Amino acid sequence: MDVTTPATAPWLIVGLGNPGPEYSMNRHNVGFMVVDLLAERIGGKFKRAGKAQAQVLEGRIGPAGPANRRVILAKPMSYMNLSGGPVNALKDFYKVPVENIVAVHDELDIDYGTLRLKLGGGDNGHNGLKSMTKAMGADYHRVRFGIGRPPGRMQVADFVLKDFASAERKELDYLVDRAADAVECLVTEGLERAQGTYNS
C-alpha cells in the first residue's frame, strides 16, 4: 500500500490573488507575483488544471539530493474569496497533506515588505485564507508579505485592490525575490530555518 507522508509528498505552493490583468499589480495580488517568480526559476509555464479552477505548474525546488522537493505551484482562478475550493481540489488530486501546503499572501498588519512565515493560525480577515481554512482546516503554512495598513480613512477593500504606490514599486522586485527565496527555504530546509532567516 502506497502511503504518502509529509516527508515524501509533494508541496503545493499557492499564490493568492485575483485573476485578470486589471488586478495584476494590486497589493492583494502579491501572492501571484511570488509564485510567478518561482515559476520563472523552475523554467515552466502555468497551465489550466483539469477540473480545479486554477493554473498550475509542476516542478522541483532545491539542490540535488534529499533536500530536492517536488512542488506544484498554483494560482486559483476563482477570485480571492473562493480560493479554498480550487486549493482543496488540488490537494486531493495531488495527494498533498495539509501541512505541505503553503499560502503566499498579502498581510495588512505588518509593514510593507516585511515577511513572516508560520504554520496554522487565524485568517486575520483575509478572504483568501478564510476560504482555504473553511475548505480544509487551518494547519497549512503561510508566507505573509507585509503591505501595511491603508492611509487615513481609506477602506481596507480599496487599499488592497489598488496597485502598489510608485515608492513601493521601487523595492517590489527585490521584496518579491526575497519572498520567493523564503518559500524555497521553507520547502527545502523547514519552517524553523526559514523563520530564522526571513522573519524580519
Side-chain angles (χ1 to χ4, degrees):
M1 182 176 163
D2 179 28
V3 178
T4 303
T5 67
T8 59
W11 284 76
L12 176 59
I13 301 168
V14 181
L16 292 179
N18 288 307
E22 67 272 32
Y23 299 107
S24 64
M25 289 304 295
N26 286 181
R27 293 182 178 93
H28 224 17
N29 269 45
V30 74
F32 275 16
M33 296 174 200
V34 174
V35 170
D36 281 339
L37 179 57
L38 288 166
E40 276 182 43
R41 293 180 180 183
I42 287 172
K45 291 198 182 313
F46 283 96
K47 62 181 183 183
R48 198 78 184 196
K51 294 181 179 178
Q53 204 176 352
Q55 290 185 350
V56 297
L57 168 64
E58 295 181 61
R60 301 194 80 86
I61 281 177
N68 191 260
R69 297 284 183 265
R70 180 178 167 226
V71 297
I72 299 98
L73 305 180
K75 297 191 292 185
M77 294 285 112
S78 57
Y79 290 101
M80 182 70 84
N81 61 338
L82 299 172
S83 300
V87 175
N88 201 42
L90 293 172
K91 171 183 76 71
D92 292 346
F93 180 78
Y94 289 104
K95 298 180 171 54
V96 180
V98 173
E99 60 266 43
N100 277 28
I101 295 173
V102 182
V104 186
H105 64 92
D106 57 306
E107 177 62 60
L108 285 160
D109 281 342
I110 50 180
D111 291 338
Y112 174 65
T114 299
L115 291 178
R116 292 272 195 282
L117 288 80
K118 69 174 187 172
L119 174 63
D123 57 60
N124 203 23
H126 192 289
N127 288 330
L129 298 181
K130 198 176 291 184
S131 180
M132 283 181 61
T133 297
K134 185 177 179 185
M136 59 192 188
D139 294 331
Y140 52 90
H141 288 85
R142 297 99 189 278
V143 174
R144 305 154 71 206
F145 186 109
I147 60 170
R149 301 294 303 184
R153 297 185 177 184
M154 184 186 289
Q155 295 295 310
V156 165
D158 294 332
F159 179 69
V160 299
L161 293 175
K162 280 199 180 329
D163 288 358
F164 283 101
S166 56
E168 293 171 327
R169 283 201 295 272
K170 289 174 184 171
E171 290 186 282
L172 186 59
D173 286 349
Y174 164 75
L175 295 169
V176 167
D177 191 70
R178 190 166 182 271
D181 290 347
V183 173
E184 290 186 350
C185 184
L186 168 62
V187 169
T188 60
E189 299 186 58
L191 178 61
E192 192 173 328
R193 173 63 66 88
Q195 285 176 325
T197 305
Y198 293 99
N199 276 16
S200 44

